[in-house]
Amino acid sequence: MSSFSKIVIVIGLVLSVVSCSDKNSRNYQYMPNMYMPVGYETYQKVDFLPRQMEAQLPADNTIPRGWLPYEFENGPEGKELAKLQASPLDSLQTEDNMKVGMEMYDIYCAICHGEKGNGKGILVEREKILGVPSYDDAARNISIGGTYHTIYYGLNSMGSYAGQLNFKERWQVSEYVMKLKQDLTK
């Protein structure tokens, strides 16, 4: 075999080895599990985890960030205790609290309770929801703490707004509702 044919065979082998390599990825991985993580679906069964699920419950006695626990239970006893509660907001910022409370009330409450709190919101006028009482109704003994409790848990056909309004906004809306009640009873 001539030296020329040997050189051609060696060059051919070198070209075939070089052409198979990819410069964007490693050719050899020592521990592939460290480079290629194993992904799990959220609710799929995983044998080695507690409860055999990827998504776990939060640790006991933990509170989500930005969430404050409410001390009163949902029920008549809790509502009666909540009626005695005063607003924890700063009384020197009443004007700012009323402004924010009015904005939140217009977004979440006025559609049923009306802009003036008279129980004649758009949904009531269109007869989509019936039986929304006015804040000046003599049978309604509403207080700021009771209003907060109702916003937090909901009442009758009104659902809870605890997920839409944070702690401070719920108190601001409660203060604004009391202002509407005073305006209606004048």
Side-chain angles (χ1 to χ4, degrees):
M1 193 163 179
S2 71
S3 63
F4 180 73
S5 61
K6 289 179 184 177
I7 293 174
V8 170
I9 291 174
V10 170
I11 291 175
L13 288 172
V14 169
L15 287 175
S16 66
V17 170
V18 171
S19 66
C20 293
S21 68
D22 184 9
K23 294 183 182 186
N24 294 329
S25 66
R26 295 179 177 220
N27 292 331
Y28 180 74
Q29 295 178 351
Y30 179 64
M31 297 182 118
N33 287 343
M34 293 179 72
Y35 295 106
M36 305 296 220
V38 179
Y40 297 103
E41 292 295 323
T42 307
Y43 294 107
Q44 85 178 32
K45 184 175 180 179
V46 181
D47 295 330
F48 63 89
L49 292 174
R51 298 188 193 99
Q52 285 74 40
M53 291 182 76
E54 171 74 15
Q56 299 292 311
L57 296 173
D60 292 337
N61 301 320
T62 58
I63 300 171
R65 184 177 304 222
W67 189 265
L68 295 174
Y70 187 51
E71 58 191 289
F72 301 112
E73 295 292 323
N74 186 12
E77 299 86 16
K79 182 145 185 170
E80 289 302 317
L81 291 172
K83 283 184 177 182
L84 304 174
Q85 188 178 22
S87 174
L89 298 180
D90 187 5
S91 61
L92 297 176
Q93 296 179 346
T94 304
E95 194 172 302
D96 294 334
N97 290 337
M98 288 296 170
K99 182 180 176 186
V100 174
M102 182 180 80
E103 291 172 4
M104 295 293 118
Y105 180 88
D106 288 343
I107 292 170
Y108 295 107
C109 310
I111 194 164
C112 295
H113 293 278
E115 291 181 9
K116 298 177 183 176
N118 56 4
K120 296 181 181 175
I122 294 171
L123 293 180
V124 174
E125 289 176 355
R126 294 181 183 172
E127 296 181 358
K128 303 292 182 187
I129 295 177
L130 300 175
V132 177
S134 176
Y135 293 143
D136 66 344
D137 189 7
R140 293 188 60 165
N141 184 18
I142 61 173
S143 66
I144 192 163
T147 304
Y148 182 88
H149 189 273
T150 303
I151 293 170
Y152 192 86
Y153 287 117
L155 182 66
N156 298 332
S157 62
M158 177 183 149
S160 170
Y161 283 86
Q164 288 88 356
L165 299 169
N166 64 30
F167 174 79
K168 187 175 181 181
E169 291 171 342
R170 287 190 295 266
W171 281 111
Q172 289 168 334
V173 170
S174 299
E175 286 183 356
Y176 184 70
V177 166
M178 296 311 294
K179 179 187 175 297
L180 289 177
K181 180 182 176 180
Q182 289 173 355
D183 292 346
L184 287 172
T185 55
K186 285 182 182 178

